[in-house]
Amino acid sequence: MKVAFLVAPEGVEQVELTEPWQAVIDAGGTPSLLSTTGGRIQAFDHLDKADTFEVDKQVGQAAVEDYDGLVLPGGVANPDFLRMDDGAVSFVREFFQTGKPVAVICHGPWTLIEADVVRGRKITSWPSLQTDLRNAGANWVDEQVSVCTEGPNTLISSRKPDDLKAFTQAFVREFQTVSA
């Protein structure tokens, strides 16, 4: 199971990167950190700087066919930066077009809105995104984890760090099915 984690150079909520990353490793998978630039990314603990992490590959050099699934962690600034990068948005859109599963948490759906892939999909998020998601045609729900199979791919979403256990269990199960 090869899983892409796409984050901006700064602003990702650290726990929303590290816990899903560890869940992939614990399941015998291989996570890969992608970003819009090379080098290291700066994670955050809410609004405070946290650790930095080495980028494995720039998103412009990554190929969707090399991965079984995509994880989009949140953090307020992270998806805002990603949705302004055409390469990142195209990479996300291609996961939907090729039918590969995508897992997204917290503010991460902002990137999905920019990729125009939420129309008609059931999704949850941090509550402040519900109007944005509804305006983009999504069916927003307030659930710990949502698994939407009504579309070209499976879309797994969660609201916040408190939902991480359910989120990681749901996406790991789905990604393992695809990689088998």
Side-chain angles (χ1 to χ4, degrees):
M1 176 176 65
K2 292 178 68 178
V3 179
F5 283 76
L6 178 58
V7 300
E10 63 179 341
V12 68
E13 184 69 30
Q14 182 162 314
V15 70
E16 293 175 6
L17 171 63
T18 57
E19 284 194 27
W21 184 279
Q22 189 61 49
V24 169
I25 292 170
D26 291 347
T30 304
S32 181
L33 187 60
L34 308 181
S35 189
T36 56
T37 62
R40 298 185 74 78
I41 62 104
Q42 175 67 61
F44 279 74
D45 180 11
H46 302 293
L47 298 176
D48 298 322
K49 285 186 176 182
D51 297 324
T52 63
F53 298 90
E54 187 71 30
V55 172
D56 294 311
K57 189 178 281 192
Q58 289 183 321
V59 69
Q61 300 166 340
V64 169
E65 57 266 14
D66 292 340
Y67 304 98
D68 299 306
L70 171 65
V71 175
L72 294 169
V76 177
N78 176 54
D80 197 45
F81 288 132
L82 287 178
R83 67 183 175 167
M84 298 301 293
D85 184 279
D86 291 338
V89 172
S90 294
F91 186 76
V92 169
R93 186 181 302 116
E94 193 175 338
F95 267 85
F96 285 77
Q97 292 170 340
T98 58
K100 292 191 174 192
V102 173
V104 62
I105 188 167
C106 202
H107 289 80
W110 270 335
T111 309
L112 300 182
I113 291 169
E114 190 66 31
D116 193 24
V117 294
V118 297
R119 191 169 318 282
R121 304 301 300 269
K122 184 176 98 165
I123 189 169
T124 193
S125 68
W126 185 255
S128 66
L129 275 68
Q130 65 182 296
T131 299
D132 296 338
L133 284 160
R134 287 182 177 135
N135 287 342
N139 173 23
W140 187 85
V141 294
D142 184 12
E143 298 174 355
Q144 183 179 41
V145 66
S146 171
V147 179
C148 177
T149 57
E150 301 297 318
N153 67 335
T154 300
L155 175 60
I156 302 107
S157 57
S158 281
R159 302 169 297 189
K160 56 189 174 184
D162 290 347
D163 300 337
L164 278 165
K165 184 175 181 181
F167 177 66
T168 58
Q169 289 173 345
F171 88 72
V172 165
R173 185 172 42 251
E174 180 63 29
F175 290 10
Q176 284 177 322
T177 301
V178 172
S179 69

